[in-house]
Amino acid sequence: MDFTLTDEQKMIQKTVRDFVNKELKPLEQEVLKNEREGRPGISKEKVKELREKAKAIGFWGINTPEEYGGADLGPIMSVLIAMELGRTYVPFNFGGSADNILYLCNEEQKEKYLIPTINGERRSCFALTEPGAGSDARSIQMQAIKDGDHWVLNGEKVFITNGNEADFAMVFAVTDKEKGANGGVTCFLVDREMGWKSEYIYTMGEWGPATLVFDNVRVPEENILGELGQGFNLGMQWIGQGRYMIPAGAIGAAERLLQMAIDYSKTRVTFGKPIAERQAIQWMIADSAVEIEAAKWIVFKAAWMAENGMDARHQSSMAKLNGAIMANEVVDRVLQIHGGMGYTKELPIERWYRELRLYRIFEGTDEIQRRTIARNLLKGHAKVGELL
Ligand SMILES: Cc1cc2nc3c(=O)[nH]c(=O)nc-3n(C[C@H](O)[C@H](O)[C@H](O)COP(=O)(O)OP(=O)(O)OC[C@H]3O[C@@H](n4cnc5c(N)ncnc54)[C@H](O)[C@@H]3O)c2cc1C
């Protein structure tokens, strides 16, 4: 067994860490101020400038195949990079990527949707959740009815990330009611110009998803992504990737937060001694360090399995469940260690507290991950005590 990173992995990790330290951390105070005053954390122009700098050092299209000009670094490197970017709350990611299922576009669709998305000229959103179907995504109701060489879409989607900003949506609709999720759901590429409307949803985080409303939106037959009736599988494929990437980001945030708590505890004096000397504080630090370390290796194993072509779904559910809970435990302890200061907007802890709370909800709640893990074990798809 070998836990060491390769020289290439170490080099990538260091380069991203340097980028975060040099380019992103200096923007943190400005991000807090902008958000406090109701503006986006960083402007579009600044994101563009940062992406150009990153591109110049090779960070563009992290997961994008080389034929589209990407670096195609694979799951392990992607996890390492997400951990490093997670160390700052500056809302930034490297450009040059597209949703994994957009690679299933046919040649014509690639020109209209995939390539402009990779190049940052168009923005996509993934529209599966509905008011009556979140965890239970199989019971979506949005209707698509065939009319000549078009499909007519009616219904509502909610909580769609980037839904207010996107130029087009990957929309999941029922094309065969009887079959439903078993061959009766289809994914459509739907341009905003085709007529859907969006409305921003305010959340406890610093960014919000949107509600999308479809009222007789006519979509040409050629805008079906993949096969008619195979949309539900595409939806699950899209969600699958996030299950180890989300906790990877959470690990970076938890490490940074824990370091803040360590530094603060050494300088904050109460009753004549730094609080770092109190067992109550030391135990919070120790528990956090152990939980972060455990989360890290579950995530790395999921990424390693994905990289080696294994079925990583069970491990990824464990990574998501454990990583999301861990980050929420850690941020809560770090806030506690900072006392009243932790609760203020002078420090980013309360911001992270609000942001990390989402990790237990989106792309499969804690309860749904537990349901999946338990079902895999009960049905024998995964076995207790099994090492690879
Ligand atoms: C900020 C944000 C961004 C999002 N982005 C997107 C996006 O881009 N695209 C998209 O399609 N969706 C998106 N979502 C939706 C998200 O995936 C759903 O909110 C999530 O899957 C939960 O669904 P729900 O909100 O309908 O909760 P529900 O499914 O109604 O669940 C309510 C509660 O019941 C629990 N529960 C449900 N079923 C069971 C069960 N069988 N056993 C035990 N407990 C259960 C849940 O865990 C939860 O605690 C986003 C959500 C948020 C908040």
Side-chain angles (χ1 to χ4, degrees), residues 27-37 41 89 345-348 350-351:
L27 303 174
E28 288 184 342
Q29 284 311 310
E30 192 185 323
V31 168
L32 288 186
K33 184 168 185 288
N34 282 341
E35 289 177 346
R36 236 174 10 222
E37 293 170 6
Y89 51 89
K345 286 186 186 277
E346 299 294 306
L347 295 178
E350 68 78 36
R351 187 197 185 282

Side-chain angles (χ1 to χ4, degrees), residues 14-88:
K14 183 177 177 317
T15 312
V16 182
R17 190 167 291 189
D18 290 347
F19 184 85
V20 168
N21 288 339
K22 188 162 160 256
E23 305 290 346
L24 302 182
K25 282 190 185 168
L27 303 174
E28 288 184 342
Q29 284 311 310
E30 192 185 323
V31 168
L32 288 186
K33 184 168 185 288
N34 282 341
E35 289 177 346
R36 236 174 10 222
E37 293 170 6
R39 290 184 296 275
I42 46 173
S43 64
K44 275 189 194 154
E45 296 70 41
K46 190 72 194 170
V47 171
K48 198 161 171 258
E49 183 194 318
L50 287 165
R51 284 193 173 156
E52 271 159 25
K53 277 190 186 169
K55 194 172 182 180
I57 54 168
F59 287 92
W60 191 85
I62 300 299
N63 257 328
T64 305
E66 285 168 16
E67 59 181 297
Y68 301 103
D72 202 7
L73 293 178
I76 297 177
M77 289 285 207
S78 300
V79 153
L80 271 174
I81 292 169
M83 285 178 189
E84 293 307 315
L85 285 181
R87 300 172 83 86
T88 178

Side-chain angles (χ1 to χ4, degrees), residues 126 128-129 134-135 159-161 209 358 361 363 365 367-368 371:
F126 171 86
L128 177 64
T129 304
S135 303
F159 297 130
I160 307 307
T161 300
L358 174 63
I361 297 170
E363 299 193 24
T365 62
E367 293 73 24
I368 294 306
R371 177 175 176 265

Side-chain angles (χ1 to χ4, degrees), residues 68 103 105-116:
Y68 301 103
Y103 291 98
C105 280
N106 60 33
E107 290 310 313
E108 227 170 61
Q109 292 169 343
K110 277 182 186 168
E111 294 299 322
K112 277 197 196 158
Y113 300 101
L114 174 69
I115 295 169

Side-chain angles (χ1 to χ4, degrees), residues 88-163:
T88 178
Y89 51 89
V90 173
F92 174 79
N93 54 55
F94 298 126
S97 60
D99 304 79
N100 56 356
I101 58 172
L102 276 185
Y103 291 98
L104 296 169
C105 280
N106 60 33
E107 290 310 313
E108 227 170 61
Q109 292 169 343
K110 277 182 186 168
E111 294 299 322
K112 277 197 196 158
Y113 300 101
L114 174 69
I115 295 169
T117 304
I118 292 173
N119 291 335
E121 294 147 13
R122 301 196 79 189
R123 262 178 107 161
S124 61
C125 66
F126 171 86
L128 177 64
T129 304
E130 295 181 4
S135 303
D136 185 12
R138 297 180 71 85
S139 59
I140 57 166
Q141 298 293 319
M142 177 175 277
Q143 228 184 28
I145 293 182
K146 188 92 193 271
D147 181 23
D149 54 2
H150 281 67
W151 288 84
V152 183
L153 269 57
N154 276 293
E156 194 176 315
K157 296 289 177 183
V158 278
F159 297 130
I160 307 307
T161 300
N162 290 333

Side-chain angles (χ1 to χ4, degrees), residues 180-221:
N182 301 318
V185 168
T186 302
C187 179
F188 295 90
L189 297 165
V190 192
D191 298 84
R192 191 178 283 273
E193 293 74 39
M194 290 174 188
W196 52 271
K197 305 271 180 289
S198 66
E199 196 174 330
Y200 190 81
I201 302 170
Y202 290 88
T203 68
M204 71 189 271
E206 288 299 337
W207 55 273
T211 300
L212 314 187
V213 178
F214 293 74
D215 183 9
N216 286 322
V217 172
R218 292 180 67 81
V219 184
E221 171 89 24

